[in-house]
Amino acid sequence: MLIANRYKTLDNSDRGGMGEVIFCEDLHLQRQVVLKHLQAGVEARRLLDEQKALSKVRSKHVVQLYDIVNIQGGGVQQPAIVLEYIDGEILQVGSFSVNQDYLNVIWQISCGLADIHSHGIIHRDIKPGNIKIDSEGVVKIIDFGLSRSNSNAETRSIIGTPIFMAPELWGDHTIAFDSSIDVYAFGVTCLALLTDTPPLSLRSRPPSQPTLADFSALLPGVPSEITNTLFQCLAADRRDRPSMQVIKNLLEKHLLKDKHRATVVLNGVANTLDHKNRRISLNATVGSLTIEYDGLVFCVTQVTGAVYINNTSVNVGAIVPGCCVLTFGNGGGRKFVTFDVSNPEVMP
């Protein structure tokens, strides 16, 4: 069958809780795509919400919306959305161990969620079953049928997958919510990828935050900075949960451990900071500065005289940003030095 004079249906299709997907070939661009339409009796708003959300978001880690068409169903025309085909597998509960691959996957999920939230969208149904990993190892968030914009974030009924639903969603009245419900679901997802038996407190209705000890026991070997932040995702008070951007940056920092390189040129001499040379001392006569690299950040460990980073006075313990100007001294005798850090990328 040919749809919209462009999409040739293939032999396979799939049904979910609310929608049906039809696998097709895009004859114009010669690629496989997915057509998604709602099953009979499902509120039409679900597809509209998904369309609105996906039309705003462009992210490597979010399924892409290509087109909107009408298809014949039950003797009537009904709308369908044309989505990116993801050649891969749904993430499975309990299918990961704590290792670098696991940290890379949850980092990619955080990237997708940070992009979604930056466009004012709340996914509202984050869980392993709504996340795929393609044949190249790229994670994609899918299924925006429950999504909302920040300006329309309220509900009168409990909708979602229970264990991934934040405590505030369990009320019996009209409930306003924000992107922190996705942060909560992300925290549960991080555990679900490791085990099918999460702490009992997360299975109560409404759920409560487990103890840090119980939570940490499921993440052996994970740096405490990451464990503590993921633990905060499950905070009962949504105001205590970190943003997805904060989580993304933290995971990225640890995934890039010992991969940064900084270069500083002073008095014609190039000074390099990396995993082989972790400490440099800069002496500009009118001031001096020692910077050390611990594999994660570049930190000031000694300073004498008047020294500034981007016009802000430097103190011991200050983190040197990735690209900045170091100023030594005051008045006419000042010396200006650039501090440049290479920008390694987490792959994929």
Side-chain angles (χ1 to χ4, degrees):
M1 181 172 68
L2 192 62
I3 298 172
N5 203 33
R6 174 172 180 171
Y7 304 106
K8 179 184 178 182
T9 59
L10 304 176
D11 293 334
N12 49 340
S13 63
D14 190 22
R15 286 180 180 269
M18 295 185 296
E20 179 180 6
V21 297
I22 304 170
F23 297 94
C24 299
E25 180 186 359
D26 181 346
L27 299 179
H28 289 192
L29 297 178
Q30 297 182 329
R31 63 183 177 186
Q32 191 167 342
V33 296
V34 172
L35 267 71
K36 180 176 179 179
H37 66 95
L38 297 178
Q39 296 186 40
V42 178
E43 185 183 0
R45 176 179 175 177
R46 301 292 181 216
L47 195 67
L48 179 61
D49 288 339
E50 186 159 9
Q51 173 191 328
K52 287 181 177 179
L54 291 175
S55 66
K56 293 182 179 180
V57 182
R58 287 291 177 269
S59 170
K60 179 180 181 179
H61 301 289
V62 175
V63 64
Q64 296 298 288
L65 172 68
Y66 291 151
D67 199 358
I68 302 165
V69 298
N70 287 314
I71 64 173
Q72 192 73 23
V76 296
Q77 291 282 313
Q78 56 178 307
I81 55 177
V82 182
L83 301 171
E84 170 189 10
Y85 170 72
I86 301 169
D87 180 17
E89 301 294 331
I90 294 289
L91 295 186
Q92 299 298 315
V93 171
S95 60
F96 284 82
S97 300
V98 176
N99 53 28
Q100 199 77 353
D101 287 342
Y102 167 74
L103 292 178
N104 185 277
V105 164
I106 66 172
W107 169 74
Q108 290 189 67
I109 299 170
S110 73
C111 290
L113 279 171
D115 289 340
I116 292 166
H117 293 170
S118 72
H119 288 84
I121 300 297
I122 305 166
H123 185 281
R124 208 181 168 205
D125 198 17
I126 291 297
K127 58 184 179 181
N130 282 336
I131 303 168
K132 294 188 77 170
I133 183 165
D134 73 14
S135 57
E136 295 182 348
V138 178
V139 168
K140 306 269 191 177
I141 298 172
I142 63 174
D143 200 341
F144 283 69
L146 294 181
S147 63
R148 289 285 186 273
S149 67
N150 281 329
S151 61
N152 188 29
E154 62 178 34
T155 183
R156 294 183 181 178
S157 56
I158 296 175
I159 297 177
T161 305
I163 197 167
F164 298 95
M165 292 170 56
E168 61 267 26
L169 295 175
W170 288 91
D172 57 1
H173 53 279
T174 298
I175 301 162
F177 55 89
D178 58 25
S179 59
S180 64
I181 67 167
D182 285 347
V183 176
Y184 181 91
F186 170 81
V188 180
T189 295
C190 289
L191 293 184
L193 293 177
L194 299 172
T195 177
D196 60 1
T197 54
L200 281 172
S201 62
L202 294 178
R203 288 178 266 168
S204 60
R205 301 292 179 264
S208 59
Q209 190 177 26
T211 66
L212 180 56
D214 287 345
F215 184 87
S216 300
L218 297 172
L219 295 162
V222 173
S224 60
E225 186 179 17
I226 294 177
T227 299
N228 292 339
T229 301
L230 296 182
F231 176 70
Q232 283 305 114
C233 292
L234 305 180
D237 189 333
R238 63 188 183 185
R239 294 171 296 184
D240 293 333
R241 298 171 200 156
S243 71
M244 289 311 309
Q245 187 65 46
V246 166
I247 297 166
K248 169 191 170 182
N249 292 345
L250 174 63
L251 290 169
E252 185 172 290
K253 181 177 72 173
H254 282 270
L255 285 167
L256 292 173
K257 184 176 181 180
D258 285 333
K259 296 180 181 178
H260 309 89
R261 176 186 293 268
T263 303
V264 187
V265 179
L266 177 63
N267 298 325
V269 178
N271 300 270
T272 299
L273 268 172
D274 57 18
H275 71 286
K276 294 180 181 178
N277 183 46
R278 295 190 179 274
R279 182 177 183 272
I280 60 172
S281 293
L282 306 171
N283 189 344
T285 307
V286 290
S288 66
L289 188 68
T290 299
I291 303 172
E292 295 187 13
Y293 175 51
D294 67 359
L296 300 174
V297 295
F298 299 94
C299 183
V300 174
T301 56
Q302 179 272 333
V303 59
T304 60
V307 183
Y308 305 88
I309 297 177
N310 291 341
N311 296 320
T312 300
S313 182
V314 178
N315 296 311
V316 170
I319 303 301
V320 185
C323 183
C324 64
V325 175
L326 307 178
T327 305
F328 295 87
N330 293 305
R334 290 181 296 175
K335 285 192 174 182
F336 300 94
V337 177
T338 57
F339 182 91
D340 291 314
V341 178
S342 62
N343 292 303
E345 292 185 5
V346 182
M347 297 298 289

